[in-house]
Amino acid sequence: MKRNYKTVYLDHAASTPLDSRVFNAMKPFFTSAYGNPSSLHHKGTEARQAVEASRKIIAEIVGARPEEIVFTSGGTEGCNLAVLGCAQMNTGKETDKHGHIITTQIEHHAVLEPVKMLKQQGWEITVLPVDKEGFISLDDLKKAIRKDTALVSVMYANNEIGTIEPIAEIGRMIKAQNARRKTQSLPEIIFHTDACQAVGALDLNVNRLQVDLMSVSASKIYGPKGTGFLYIRQGIKLKPIFHGGGQERGLRSGTENVAGIVGLAKALELTQAHREQENKRQTELRDYFIKKIRKILPKITLNLNGPAIERAVPPKFDGRQKMGVQGMNRLANNINIIIPGVEGEALMLYLDACGICVSTGSACATGSTDASHVLRAIGRSEKQARESIRITLGKGTTKRDLDYVVKVLKKVILLILDER
Ligand SMILES: *Cc1c(COP(=O)(O)O)cnc(C)c1O
């Protein structure tokens, strides 16, 4: 489509452009290295070696063993395999009864939907509430744990409001509970985190985080769409969702997406190497943008959804949990604001007409007009949710981009408010 404006892409929480270095690493696996990794001839071996080398790179970055990494078709499959695979492993194990699962109100649909399906099958579900900044309470979680709790699934960082949940603390608490449960011969609680938004920005070491399962997607870290992995701690048993040739130690049948896997490893390597520096840069850009927009639209009460950016360390964090940026509790790239009186969807379309891509507080699921469940969970009204827009920065975002957005926003908002 021909446009008069240059594109200013500020929807990195939805998808990121493919890094050219990632693309270059992938190319040979579309053209010359086309073998099936399961084939025993040299073309197969070539592909197998690329898959295993990628697995090793990823395992090292997350502090795992290579055999604990299972390649998937992205974050959604990882979350489904974690939730359903864990549930199916437990179904009817001890008694005929189903067990209990704990999750949160602000999870991605990739977790909420499989959980909903399990509920229909008879599983009991506790959905933990969050406070107005999107944090769950460790106390609530502790109280929700029951004898038959099989799985706790809490996202690492939220895709809409950027809240970073205290995963390491949750992990530590569950580990302590599990030690106690062992002496009472109760089944272990498995802890899954959806790290799809955290992957480019935060510490991914599974031992520091004390997670058993961790879902990651490549498409949010300048890697290819439709690729990802699930970390599965040794000893944790899951039932596969896909059945077939038995690839990925039987956990994920189907010919491996070799190019995608190579791209995933390369993308992870690149983002993890630059994350501290990029977090710092994006934090400055974000704060600059918020300050500027507050100044330029003084009459408009600008509400920030998610953790306050003025307050670096919330009381909930005791400093033991080292994050991408020390004590950081909000993703550096996330800006989610309510502009009262301005319909987010209309604003989004106006901005798009000027080349600017952002997202709204509704319609996270394609075509849906429901107000965001995340914004509702932090106590925003339907109206406020509809007046919200999400701006997510990326590594290509510059100050100039943001200056342009502020300029356009001012014009557009005044225009919209005037029209009414
Ligand atoms: C993007 C995303 C997913 C889904 O990942 P896909 O690779 O698109 O399947 C799941 N959870 C979160 C938090 C996400 O941001």
Side-chain angles (χ1 to χ4, degrees):
M1 212 189 320
K2 181 131 175 42
R3 291 185 175 279
N4 297 323
Y5 302 95
K6 97 176 180 109
T7 296
V8 175
Y9 184 80
L10 293 172
D11 200 11
H12 291 84
S15 183
T16 49
L18 192 73
D19 187 300
S20 60
R21 291 165 291 183
V22 174
F23 187 43
N24 285 333
M26 293 171 72
K27 269 182 198 162
F29 299 94
F30 290 112
T31 50
S32 56
Y34 47 75
N36 183 324
S38 298
S39 300
L40 297 177
H41 46 63
H42 72 278
K43 291 313 278 180
T45 311
E46 183 180 40
R48 169 59 57 204
Q49 279 169 353
V51 169
E52 296 317 318
S54 302
R55 200 189 306 277
K56 205 158 157 250
I57 290 169
I58 293 166
E60 232 158 76
I61 290 172
V62 305
R65 298 166 223 257
E67 60 279 13
E68 293 174 314
I69 304 298
V70 167
F71 292 116
T72 64
S73 64
T76 303
E77 190 190 328
C79 291
N80 272 264
L81 181 56
V83 173
L84 299 177
C86 174
Q88 267 153 27
M89 204 66 214
N90 278 278
T91 299
K93 203 159 90 186
E94 317 240 312
T95 59
D96 281 340
K97 277 193 5 222
H98 293 294
H100 174 236
I101 291 172
I102 303 172
T103 187
T104 82
Q105 277 183 314
I106 61 162
E107 297 300 304
H108 191 275
H109 290 292
V111 166
L112 291 179
E113 290 300 315
V115 164
K116 199 158 111 192
M117 190 179 104
L118 291 171
K119 189 173 178 188
Q120 284 160 2
Q121 292 174 2
W123 281 75
E124 286 184 55
I125 314 292
T126 300
V127 182
L128 296 174
V130 294
D131 67 15
K132 64 184 198 317
E133 294 190 328
F135 293 102
I136 63 155
S137 135
L138 217 55
D139 257 2
D140 285 353
L141 173 55
K142 220 171 179 171
K143 281 186 205 129
I145 291 174
R146 314 190 323 200
K147 276 188 176 152
D148 60 345
T149 303
L151 176 74
V152 172
S153 190
V154 178
M155 76 195 319
Y156 195 168
N158 184 270
N159 45 307
E160 292 190 47
I161 54 174
T163 308
I164 298 167
E165 300 295 342
I167 296 303
E169 289 186 17
I170 298 169
R172 214 168 11 240
M173 188 270 280
I174 291 176
K175 200 171 180 193
Q177 295 263 341
N178 277 340
R180 211 163 311 132
R181 288 164 80 96
K182 212 167 185 175
T183 65
Q184 303 164 332
S185 35
L186 287 173
E188 240 186 9
I189 301 165
I190 293 173
F191 179 31
H192 167 247
T193 192
D194 170 0
C196 289
Q197 284 298 325
V199 52
L202 306 179
D203 180 17
L204 284 186
N205 186 289
V206 293
N207 300 312
R208 280 197 289 273
L209 294 173
Q210 311 238 27
V211 293
D212 300 313
L213 303 169
M214 180 169 76
S215 301
V216 170
S217 163
S219 72
K220 314 280 169 66
I221 51 168
Y222 312 92
K225 291 169 188 57
T227 54
F229 69 88
L230 177 66
Y231 158 75
I232 306 174
R233 186 178 293 282
Q234 196 173 43
I236 303 284
K237 292 203 163 45
L238 300 182
K239 279 258 168 74
I241 314 176
F242 289 3
H243 303 269
Q247 287 90 342
E248 298 295 288
R249 292 184 302 114
L251 280 164
R252 209 285 184 171
S253 285
T255 304
E256 296 86 342
N257 176 359
V258 182
I261 288 167
V262 169
L264 162 68
K266 186 74 187 171
L268 188 66
E269 214 174 9
L270 289 170
T271 46
Q272 283 291 315
H274 301 294
R275 82 182 150 91
E276 301 274 347
Q277 169 195 340
E278 200 39 37
N279 277 336
K280 194 164 168 288
R281 196 186 74 86
Q282 289 184 14
T283 302
E284 281 165 16
L285 277 179
R286 176 195 67 192
D287 296 354
Y288 168 79
F289 179 79
I290 299 230
K291 211 165 132 193
K292 197 143 181 202
I293 201 163
R294 279 201 167 124
K295 207 176 256 139
I296 218 157
L297 297 165
K299 285 207 205 86
I300 288 164
T301 3
L302 189 132
N303 261 314
L304 191 71
N305 291 313
I309 58 164
E310 292 83 358
R311 191 160 39 80
V313 185
K316 226 169 259 134
F317 280 72
D318 63 5
R320 276 186 297 169
Q321 184 170 21
K322 267 204 186 150
M323 297 277 188
V325 169
Q326 180 85 44
M328 189 172 77
N329 59 56
R330 179 185 187 108
L331 288 177
N333 79 335
N334 178 285
I335 301 162
N336 192 319
I337 47 176
I338 303 174
I339 304 168
V342 178
E343 189 86 31
E345 203 139 308
L347 182 56
M348 190 262 281
L349 294 173
Y350 272 111
L351 291 176
D352 187 38
C354 297
I356 301 164
C357 304
V358 302
S359 125
T360 62
S362 63
C364 190
T366 330
S368 131
T369 50
D370 286 348
S372 145
H373 67 285
V374 175
L375 296 177
R376 297 289 285 126
I378 61 170
R380 299 306 192 186
S381 66
E382 285 234 359
K383 182 166 173 290
Q384 285 177 314
R386 286 183 206 289
E387 291 169 341
S388 297
I389 60 164
R390 180 188 70 181
I391 295 167
T392 44
L393 318 179
K395 66 179 180 182
T397 308
T398 63
K399 214 168 189 171
R400 261 186 81 191
D401 290 340
L402 297 181
D403 284 340
Y404 174 62
V405 176
V406 169
K407 207 174 92 193
V408 174
L409 261 180
K410 183 179 182 183
K411 230 189 292 178
V412 169
I413 289 172
L414 295 180
L415 188 80
I416 293 177
L417 290 177
D418 217 38
E419 266 177 11
R420 288 182 320 161

